[in-house]
């Protein structure tokens, strides 16, 4: 009897123990996310401007480090680097002026956005004035002004075709379509003396619903709002003076004059109220094409004449730029939860912390979510949970100056990341609006992303569905003709801190954000990089209850949880093969004639694509037949192959003319083609007639890039083969 009781007791204890062990940690993690706490994090993060390299920037880094320590992470440390940064002179802000025949300034652009009395934090004097980071300082003048639309190559070509040369003239471009650095570089290469970049109402007010509600009464931009930003001409180098290597105290530093990234002509940025004062005085025989016209109430002319005596005594445009470049210390913060089973495998979550000003949208909506995720995980650790793999959280610095923090860190630790990182999940701006999810991902992570989105409830009632997945799919289908379409997930283009992970070392990435409906041509949201990215903006107009911040935290954490806990990594190799096959199809469909006319065979590439597709299918069959009795060694063997597949696409020599973009499938081409980047550029350069003898050297480049991409796809196929048989 006594023995029986003991047994019974043991059984009950056993059951209890089993009950405890079966806590659904994934559910708990999701339920733990608290909108009120996210709001409080955001309020603290946005109290002061915290530009990289400033005292306030450092204080906020220390706040993040201390918070992670207090939340119970195993460790939290700073990773500092000394890099070249750029600042305005708050006492003598840069400006654009109009001057009369006696060189007297008759108009000066506003030194900054007026304070608006709605948000105590936004009302402080230390707001960073609008400036063009890394612009050289100096005064330039011209009596000639040319409007170059968005400043794309095609825009400069059109101006030239209208008989206007920008040499020794001032140019004015609107924001949008192409990066600041590229607009400026094109003006510089064509001999312009300086450049003005402004936000046109078409981009920051638009023609849509609610456009009359401008900050502080709404989400749209008043004419006084100015987008700040850096004007480096970057192709994946990171910090301008130590390309390729981490900026440590022993690192050799280039001369500024050696850096191809730093601009040599001055540039300044203004809002549309000031732009109007300038644009209305433009002369020139031709009014622009319709597609060039913005929404200013003036006739848009190409130029280059300037001055309308009836309207103003102004005769010249003057640019007076007072921007400094200084070496200062930036601080990434790295927090770690050690893995219990595979401590040497890292799942990395990252977001930048530095902002041009208060950063309540870019980037600290993301930082607030990250701090809530670490808080929730800290709580779980107190209850005895520990992930299978190591979780790493990184708060980057100096993203706004050119992604310096993440580049320097990858330059220092790239080898380790290449060996050990399972994936990097980036969130920059978590919530700029709440219409739909915008996702970028390496192909192998798409299925994981979709699965995670199915588990996140949509926080409002809508006919579009009750999970993030269903609303996302409904509102942003990959194929709008197909009612059963998947949601749209783009490849990792564009720019945030995921770039060095995927393009330098081949770590799979995702980049996630809640965004607005793209019915109008906003390149970004209207108040992007202005002084009005305030807590008030988030709290009043974007996400008053922080429900969508909660949604983003749940999604980000859910993805990280799967990557850290799943025995076999949720990396889908067949999805990758499908993407590579599509790129091959685009190549054949769009450029097949050229290959035929020059008798260049696509057989090797086709064979590599087929081999990769077959290897992926066979690999998945083997995985499926493993059943439940995977020994840790066997699981690790398959997981290593899953990780190595992405690295196989890395060419240490880089793609042509951009040695720091090393991913042969996922780097940006110079031309936007939907095929392999380097080969896509090579075939674009061929134009229509490939047989033209003058194109012989371009044709050699096509052959070269074709062989290179064939090799790397076959390499990826090899990584998936059975180690002992297929390859050797
Ligand atoms: C340019 O601005 C600086 C600082 O505001 C000022 O000292 C200087 O006189 C200005 N230069 C000209 C040519 O107006
Ligand atoms: C420029 O200076 C001359 C000589 O002082 C004067 O006559 C003229 O009115 C001035 N122009 C303007 C626009 O003030
Ligand atoms: C904001 O600044 C203005 C002018 O400096 C001042 O009058 C106002 O009281 C301030 N508002 C708040 C909420 O601090
Ligand atoms: C601009 O208009 C001109 C004629 O007015 C036309 O030849 C040209 O193709 C147009 N360009 C664009 C980009 O629309
Ligand atoms: C594809 O695999 C076949 C069979 O192993 C091999 O003969 C062929 O060379 C491979 N293709 C490439 C481009 O390496
Ligand atoms: C694997 O385990 C699950 C439950 O954990 C069970 O339903 C399934 O039948 C098992 N499969 C095999 C092949 O043993
Ligand atoms: Zn950002």
């Amino acid at each position: 009897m006594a023995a029986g009781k003991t047994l019974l007791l043991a059984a009950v204890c056993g059951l209890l123990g089993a009950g405890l062990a079966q806590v659904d940690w994934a559910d708990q993690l999701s339920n733990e996310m608290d909108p009120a706490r996210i709001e409080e994090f955001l309020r603290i993060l946005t109290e002061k401007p915290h530009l990289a390299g400033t005292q306030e920037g450092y204080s906020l880094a220390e706040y993040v480090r201390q918070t992670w320590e207090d939340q119970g992470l195993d460790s939290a440390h700073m990773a500092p680097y000394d890099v070249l940064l750029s600042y305005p002179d708050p006492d003598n802000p840069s400006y654009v002026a109009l001057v009369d025949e006696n060189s007297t300034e008759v108009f000066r652009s506003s030194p900054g956005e007026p304070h608006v009395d709605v948000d105590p934090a936004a009302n402080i004097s230390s707001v960073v004035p609008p400036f063009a980071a890394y612009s050289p300082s100096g005064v330039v003048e011209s009596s000639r002004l040319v409007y170059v639309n968005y400043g794309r190559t095609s825009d400069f070509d059109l101006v030239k075709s209208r008989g206007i040369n920008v040499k020794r003239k001032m140019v004015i471009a609107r924001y949008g379509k192409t990066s600041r650095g590229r607009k400026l570089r094109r003006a510089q290469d064509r001999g312009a003396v300086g450049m003005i970049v402004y936000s046109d109402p078409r981009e920051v007010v638009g023609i849509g619903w609610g456009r009359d509600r401008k900050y502080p009464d709404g989400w749209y931009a008043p004419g006084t709002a100015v987008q700040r930003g850096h004007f480096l001409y970057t192709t994946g180098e990171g910090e301008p003076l130590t390309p390729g290597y981490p900026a440590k105290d022993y690192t050799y530093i280039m001369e500024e004059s050696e850096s191809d990234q730093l601009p040599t002509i001055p540039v300044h940025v203004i809002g549309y109220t000031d732009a109007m004062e300038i644009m209305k005085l433009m002369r020139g025989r031709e009014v622009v094409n319709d597609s060039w016209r913005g929404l200013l109430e003036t006739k848009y002319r190409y130029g280059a004449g300037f001055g309308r005596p009836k309207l103003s005594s102004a005769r010249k445009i003057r640019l007076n730029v007072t921007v400094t470049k200084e070496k200062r210390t930036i601080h990434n913060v790295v927090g770690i939860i050690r893995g219990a089973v595979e401590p040497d495998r890292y799942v990395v979550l990252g977001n930048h912390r530095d902002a041009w000003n208060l950063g309540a949208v870019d980037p600290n909506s993301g930082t607030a979510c990250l701090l809530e995720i670490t808080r929730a995980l800290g709580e779980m650790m107190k209850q005895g949970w520990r992930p299978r793999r190591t979780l790493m959280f990184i708060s980057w610095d100096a993203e706004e100056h050119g992604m310096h923090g993440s580049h320097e860190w990858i330059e220092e630790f790239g080898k380790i990341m290449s060996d050990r990182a399972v994936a990097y999940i980036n969130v920059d701006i978590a919530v700029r609006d709440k219409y739909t999810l915008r996702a970028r991902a390496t192909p192998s992570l798409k299925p994981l992303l979709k699965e995670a989105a199915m588990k996140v409830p949509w926080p409002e009632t809508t006919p579009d569905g009750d999970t993030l997945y269903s609303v996302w799919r409904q509102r942003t289908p990959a194929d709008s003709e197909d009612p059963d379409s998947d949601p749209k997930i783009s490849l990792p283009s564009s720019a945030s801190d995921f770039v060095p992970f995927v393009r330098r070392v081949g770590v799979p990435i995702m980049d996630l954000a809640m965004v607005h409906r793209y019915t109008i041509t906003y390149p970004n949201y209207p108040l992007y990089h202005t002084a009005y990215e305030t807590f008030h903006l988030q709290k009043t107009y974007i996400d008053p209850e922080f429900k969508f911040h909660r949604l983003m935290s749940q999604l980000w954490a859910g993805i990280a949880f799967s990557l850290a806990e799943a025995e076999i990594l949720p990396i889908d190799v067949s999805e990758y093969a499908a993407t590579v096959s599509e790129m091959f199809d685009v190549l054949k469909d769009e450029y097949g004639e050229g290959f035929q006319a020059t008798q260049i065979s696509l057989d090797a590439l086709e064979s590599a694509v087929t081999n990769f597709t077959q290897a992926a299918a066979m690999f998945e069959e083997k995985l499926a037949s493993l059943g439940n009795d995977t020994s840790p060694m066997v699981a690790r063997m398959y997981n290593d192959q899953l990780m190595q597949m992405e690295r196989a696409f890395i060419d240490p020599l880089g793609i042509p003319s951009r040695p720091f973009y090393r991913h042969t499938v996922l780097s940006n081409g110079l031309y936007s083609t939907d095929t392999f980047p380097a080969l896509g550029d090579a075939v674009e350069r061929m134009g229509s007639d490939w047989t033209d003898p003058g194109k012989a050297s371009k044709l050699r480049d096509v052959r070269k890039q074709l062989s290179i991409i064939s090799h790397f796809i076959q390499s990826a196929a090899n990584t998936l083969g059975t180690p002992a048989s297929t390859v050797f």
Side-chain angles (χ1 to χ4, degrees), residues 591-641:
Y591 307 94
E593 274 178 32
F595 284 103
Q596 256 173 7
T598 49
Q599 287 167 356
I600 298 177
S601 163
L602 289 172
D603 288 354
L605 179 56
E606 181 153 34
S607 153
V609 171
T610 305
N611 289 352
F612 182 38
T613 307
Q614 284 172 357
M618 280 167 63
F619 185 85
E620 280 174 354
E621 259 169 49
K622 272 186 292 175
L623 268 185
S625 68
L626 275 183
N628 289 351
D629 56 346
T630 343
S631 80
M633 273 309 291
V634 171
R636 182 67 178 241
M637 189 180 82
Y638 283 101
N639 285 336
D640 282 356
Q641 284 180 282

Coordinates of all heavy atoms in Angstrom, one line a residue, residues 591-641:
Y591 N 16.4 38.1 -73.0 CA 17.6 38.3 -73.7 C 18.0 37.1 -74.6 O 19.1 37.1 -75.1 CB 18.8 38.6 -72.7 CG 18.4 39.7 -71.7 CD1 17.9 39.4 -70.5 CD2 18.7 41.1 -72.0 CE1 17.6 40.5 -69.6 CE2 18.4 42.1 -71.2 CZ 17.8 41.8 -69.9 OH 17.5 42.8 -69.1
G592 N 17.1 36.2 -74.7 CA 17.4 34.9 -75.4 C 17.8 35.2 -76.8 O 18.8 34.5 -77.3
E593 N 17.2 36.2 -77.5 CA 17.6 36.5 -78.9 C 19.1 36.8 -79.0 O 19.7 36.4 -79.9 CB 16.7 37.6 -79.4 CG 15.4 37.2 -80.0 CD 14.6 38.4 -80.4 OE1 15.2 39.4 -80.9 OE2 13.4 38.3 -80.3
G594 N 19.5 37.7 -78.1 CA 20.9 38.1 -78.1 C 21.8 36.9 -78.0 O 22.8 36.8 -78.7
F595 N 21.5 36.0 -77.0 CA 22.4 34.8 -76.8 C 22.4 34.0 -78.1 O 23.4 33.5 -78.5 CB 21.8 34.0 -75.7 CG 22.2 34.6 -74.3 CD1 21.2 35.2 -73.6 CD2 23.5 34.5 -73.8 CE1 21.6 35.8 -72.3 CE2 23.8 35.0 -72.6 CZ 22.8 35.7 -71.8
Q596 N 21.2 33.9 -78.8 CA 21.1 33.1 -80.0 C 22.0 33.7 -81.1 O 22.8 33.0 -81.8 CB 19.7 33.0 -80.4 CG 19.1 31.6 -80.1 CD 17.6 31.5 -80.4 OE1 17.0 32.5 -81.0 NE2 17.0 30.4 -80.0
A597 N 21.8 35.0 -81.3 CA 22.5 35.7 -82.4 C 24.0 35.6 -82.2 O 24.7 35.6 -83.2 CB 22.0 37.2 -82.4
T598 N 24.5 35.5 -81.0 CA 25.9 35.4 -80.8 C 26.4 34.0 -80.5 O 27.5 33.8 -80.2 CB 26.3 36.4 -79.6 OG1 25.5 36.1 -78.5 CG2 26.2 37.8 -80.0
Q599 N 25.5 33.1 -80.6 CA 25.8 31.7 -80.4 C 26.4 31.4 -79.0 O 27.4 30.6 -78.9 CB 26.6 31.1 -81.5 CG 25.8 30.9 -82.7 CD 26.6 30.7 -84.0 OE1 27.8 30.7 -84.0 NE2 25.9 30.4 -85.1
I600 N 26.0 32.1 -78.0 CA 26.4 31.9 -76.7 C 25.4 30.9 -76.0 O 24.2 31.2 -76.0 CB 26.5 33.1 -75.8 CG1 27.5 34.1 -76.4 CG2 26.9 32.8 -74.4 CD1 27.6 35.4 -75.7
S601 N 26.0 29.8 -75.6 CA 25.1 28.7 -75.1 C 24.7 28.9 -73.6 O 25.6 29.3 -72.8 CB 25.8 27.4 -75.2 OG 25.1 26.4 -74.4
L602 N 23.4 28.7 -73.3 CA 23.0 28.8 -71.9 C 22.9 27.5 -71.3 O 22.4 27.3 -70.2 CB 21.6 29.5 -71.9 CG 21.6 31.0 -72.2 CD1 20.1 31.5 -72.4 CD2 22.3 31.8 -71.2
D603 N 23.5 26.4 -71.9 CA 23.3 25.1 -71.4 C 23.9 24.9 -70.0 O 23.4 24.2 -69.2 CB 24.0 24.1 -72.4 CG 23.2 23.9 -73.7 OD1 22.1 24.5 -73.7 OD2 23.7 23.2 -74.6
A604 N 25.1 25.4 -69.8 CA 25.8 25.2 -68.5 C 25.0 25.9 -67.4 O 24.7 25.2 -66.4 CB 27.2 25.8 -68.5
L605 N 24.5 27.1 -67.7 CA 23.6 27.7 -66.6 C 22.4 26.9 -66.4 O 22.0 26.7 -65.2 CB 23.3 29.2 -67.1 CG 22.4 30.0 -66.1 CD1 23.1 30.0 -64.7 CD2 22.2 31.4 -66.6
E606 N 21.8 26.5 -67.5 CA 20.5 25.7 -67.3 C 20.8 24.4 -66.6 O 20.0 24.0 -65.7 CB 20.0 25.3 -68.7 CG 18.7 24.6 -68.6 CD 17.8 24.8 -69.8 OE1 18.3 24.9 -70.9 OE2 16.6 24.8 -69.7
S607 N 21.9 23.8 -66.9 CA 22.3 22.6 -66.1 C 22.5 22.8 -64.7 O 22.1 22.1 -63.8 CB 23.5 21.9 -66.8 OG 24.3 21.2 -65.9
A608 N 23.2 23.9 -64.3 CA 23.4 24.3 -62.9 C 22.1 24.5 -62.2 O 21.9 24.0 -61.1 CB 24.3 25.5 -62.8
V609 N 21.2 25.2 -62.9 CA 19.9 25.5 -62.3 C 19.1 24.2 -62.1 O 18.5 23.9 -61.0 CB 19.0 26.5 -63.2 CG1 17.6 26.6 -62.7 CG2 19.7 27.8 -63.2
T610 N 19.2 23.3 -63.0 CA 18.5 22.0 -62.9 C 19.1 21.2 -61.8 O 18.5 20.6 -60.9 CB 18.6 21.2 -64.2 OG1 18.1 22.0 -65.3 CG2 17.9 19.9 -64.1
N611 N 20.5 21.2 -61.7 CA 21.2 20.4 -60.7 C 20.8 21.0 -59.3 O 20.6 20.2 -58.3 CB 22.7 20.5 -60.8 CG 23.1 19.7 -62.0 OD1 22.3 19.0 -62.7 ND2 24.4 19.9 -62.4
F612 N 20.7 22.3 -59.2 CA 20.4 22.9 -57.9 C 18.9 22.5 -57.5 O 18.6 22.2 -56.4 CB 20.5 24.4 -58.0 CG 20.2 25.2 -56.7 CD1 20.6 24.7 -55.5 CD2 19.6 26.5 -56.8 CE1 20.3 25.5 -54.3 CE2 19.3 27.2 -55.7 CZ 19.7 26.7 -54.4
T613 N 18.0 22.6 -58.5 CA 16.6 22.3 -58.2 C 16.5 20.8 -57.8 O 15.8 20.5 -56.8 CB 15.8 22.5 -59.5 OG1 16.0 23.9 -59.9 CG2 14.3 22.3 -59.2
Q614 N 17.2 19.9 -58.5 CA 17.1 18.5 -58.1 C 17.8 18.3 -56.7 O 17.2 17.5 -55.9 CB 17.8 17.7 -59.2 CG 16.9 17.5 -60.4 CD 17.7 16.8 -61.5 OE1 18.9 16.5 -61.4 NE2 17.0 16.6 -62.6
A615 N 18.9 18.9 -56.5 CA 19.6 18.7 -55.2 C 18.7 19.2 -54.1 O 18.6 18.5 -53.0 CB 20.9 19.5 -55.2
A616 N 18.0 20.3 -54.3 CA 17.1 20.8 -53.2 C 15.9 19.8 -53.0 O 15.6 19.5 -51.8 CB 16.5 22.2 -53.7
A617 N 15.4 19.3 -54.0 CA 14.2 18.3 -53.9 C 14.7 17.1 -53.2 O 14.1 16.5 -52.2 CB 13.7 18.0 -55.2
M618 N 15.9 16.6 -53.5 CA 16.4 15.3 -52.9 C 16.7 15.6 -51.4 O 16.5 14.7 -50.6 CB 17.6 14.8 -53.7 CG 17.2 14.0 -54.9 SD 18.7 13.8 -56.0 CE 19.7 12.7 -54.9
F619 N 17.3 16.7 -51.2 CA 17.6 17.1 -49.8 C 16.4 17.1 -49.0 O 16.3 16.5 -47.8 CB 18.3 18.5 -49.8 CG 18.8 18.9 -48.5 CD1 20.1 18.5 -48.0 CD2 18.0 19.7 -47.6 CE1 20.5 18.9 -46.8 CE2 18.5 20.0 -46.4 CZ 19.8 19.6 -45.9
E620 N 15.3 17.6 -49.5 CA 14.1 17.7 -48.7 C 13.4 16.3 -48.5 O 12.9 16.0 -47.5 CB 13.1 18.7 -49.4 CG 13.5 20.1 -49.0 CD 12.7 21.2 -49.6 OE1 11.9 20.9 -50.5 OE2 13.0 22.4 -49.2
E621 N 13.6 15.5 -49.5 CA 13.1 14.1 -49.4 C 13.8 13.4 -48.2 O 13.2 12.7 -47.4 CB 13.3 13.3 -50.7 CG 12.1 13.1 -51.5 CD 12.5 12.6 -52.9 OE1 13.2 11.6 -52.9 OE2 12.1 13.2 -53.9
K622 N 15.1 13.6 -48.2 CA 15.9 13.0 -47.1 C 15.5 13.5 -45.8 O 15.3 12.7 -44.8 CB 17.4 13.2 -47.4 CG 18.1 12.2 -48.2 CD 19.6 12.4 -48.3 CE 19.9 13.7 -49.0 NZ 21.3 14.1 -49.0
L623 N 15.3 14.8 -45.7 CA 14.9 15.4 -44.4 C 13.5 14.8 -44.0 O 13.3 14.4 -42.8 CB 14.7 16.9 -44.6 CG 15.9 17.8 -44.3 CD1 15.5 19.2 -44.3 CD2 16.4 17.5 -42.9
A624 N 12.6 14.6 -44.9 CA 11.3 14.1 -44.6 C 11.3 12.7 -44.1 O 10.5 12.3 -43.3 CB 10.3 14.3 -45.8
S625 N 12.3 11.9 -44.7 CA 12.3 10.5 -44.3 C 13.1 10.3 -43.0 O 13.2 9.2 -42.5 CB 13.0 9.7 -45.4 OG 14.4 10.1 -45.5
L626 N 13.6 11.4 -42.4 CA 14.3 11.2 -41.1 C 13.5 10.7 -40.0 O 13.9 10.1 -39.1 CB 14.9 12.6 -40.7 CG 16.3 13.0 -41.3 CD1 16.7 14.3 -40.7 CD2 17.3 11.9 -41.1
G627 N 12.2 11.1 -40.0 CA 11.3 10.7 -38.9 C 11.6 11.5 -37.7 O 12.2 12.6 -37.7
N628 N 11.3 10.8 -36.5 CA 11.5 11.6 -35.3 C 12.8 11.3 -34.5 O 13.1 11.9 -33.6 CB 10.3 11.2 -34.4 CG 9.0 11.8 -34.9 OD1 9.0 12.6 -35.8 ND2 7.9 11.4 -34.3
D629 N 13.5 10.3 -35.0 CA 14.6 9.9 -34.2 C 15.9 10.4 -34.7 O 16.9 9.7 -35.0 CB 14.7 8.3 -34.1 CG 14.7 7.7 -35.5 OD1 14.4 8.5 -36.5 OD2 15.0 6.5 -35.7
T630 N 15.9 11.8 -35.0 CA 17.2 12.4 -35.4 C 18.1 12.5 -34.3 O 17.8 13.1 -33.3 CB 16.9 13.8 -35.9 OG1 15.5 14.0 -36.1 CG2 17.6 14.2 -37.1
S631 N 19.3 12.0 -34.5 CA 20.3 12.2 -33.4 C 20.8 13.6 -33.6 O 20.8 14.2 -34.7 CB 21.4 11.1 -33.6 OG 22.3 11.6 -34.6
P632 N 21.3 14.1 -32.5 CA 21.8 15.5 -32.6 C 22.9 15.7 -33.6 O 22.9 16.7 -34.3 CB 22.4 15.8 -31.2 CG 21.7 14.8 -30.3 CD 21.4 13.6 -31.1
M633 N 23.7 14.7 -33.8 CA 24.8 14.8 -34.8 C 24.2 14.8 -36.2 O 24.7 15.6 -37.1 CB 25.8 13.6 -34.7 CG 26.9 13.8 -33.8 SD 27.8 15.4 -34.0 CE 28.6 15.0 -35.6
V634 N 23.2 14.0 -36.5 CA 22.5 14.0 -37.8 C 21.8 15.3 -38.0 O 21.9 15.9 -39.1 CB 21.6 12.8 -37.9 CG1 20.8 12.9 -39.2 CG2 22.4 11.5 -37.9
A635 N 21.1 15.8 -37.0 CA 20.4 17.1 -37.2 C 21.4 18.2 -37.5 O 21.2 19.0 -38.4 CB 19.7 17.4 -35.9
R636 N 22.5 18.1 -36.8 CA 23.5 19.2 -37.0 C 24.1 19.1 -38.4 O 24.4 20.1 -39.1 CB 24.6 19.0 -36.0 CG 25.7 20.0 -36.0 CD 25.3 21.4 -35.6 NE 26.4 22.3 -35.6 CZ 26.8 23.0 -34.6 NH1 26.2 22.9 -33.4 NH2 27.9 23.8 -34.6
M637 N 24.3 17.9 -38.9 CA 24.8 17.7 -40.3 C 23.9 18.3 -41.3 O 24.3 19.1 -42.2 CB 25.0 16.2 -40.6 CG 25.7 15.9 -41.8 SD 25.8 14.1 -42.0 CE 24.2 13.7 -42.8
Y638 N 22.6 18.1 -41.2 CA 21.6 18.7 -42.1 C 21.6 20.2 -42.0 O 21.5 21.0 -42.9 CB 20.2 18.1 -42.0 CG 20.1 16.7 -42.6 CD1 20.2 15.5 -41.9 CD2 20.0 16.6 -44.0 CE1 20.1 14.3 -42.4 CE2 19.9 15.3 -44.6 CZ 20.0 14.2 -43.8 OH 19.9 13.0 -44.4
N639 N 21.6 20.6 -40.7 CA 21.5 22.1 -40.5 C 22.7 22.8 -41.0 O 22.6 23.9 -41.6 CB 21.4 22.3 -39.0 CG 20.0 22.0 -38.4 OD1 19.0 22.0 -39.2 ND2 19.9 21.8 -37.1
D640 N 23.9 22.2 -41.0 CA 25.1 22.8 -41.5 C 24.9 23.0 -43.0 O 25.3 24.0 -43.6 CB 26.3 21.9 -41.3 CG 26.8 22.1 -39.8 OD1 26.2 23.0 -39.1 OD2 27.8 21.4 -39.4
Q641 N 24.3 21.9 -43.7 CA 24.1 22.1 -45.1 C 23.1 23.2 -45.4 O 23.3 24.0 -46.4 CB 23.6 20.8 -45.7 CG 24.7 19.7 -45.8 CD 24.2 18.4 -46.4 OE1 23.5 17.6 -45.7 NE2 24.4 18.2 -47.7

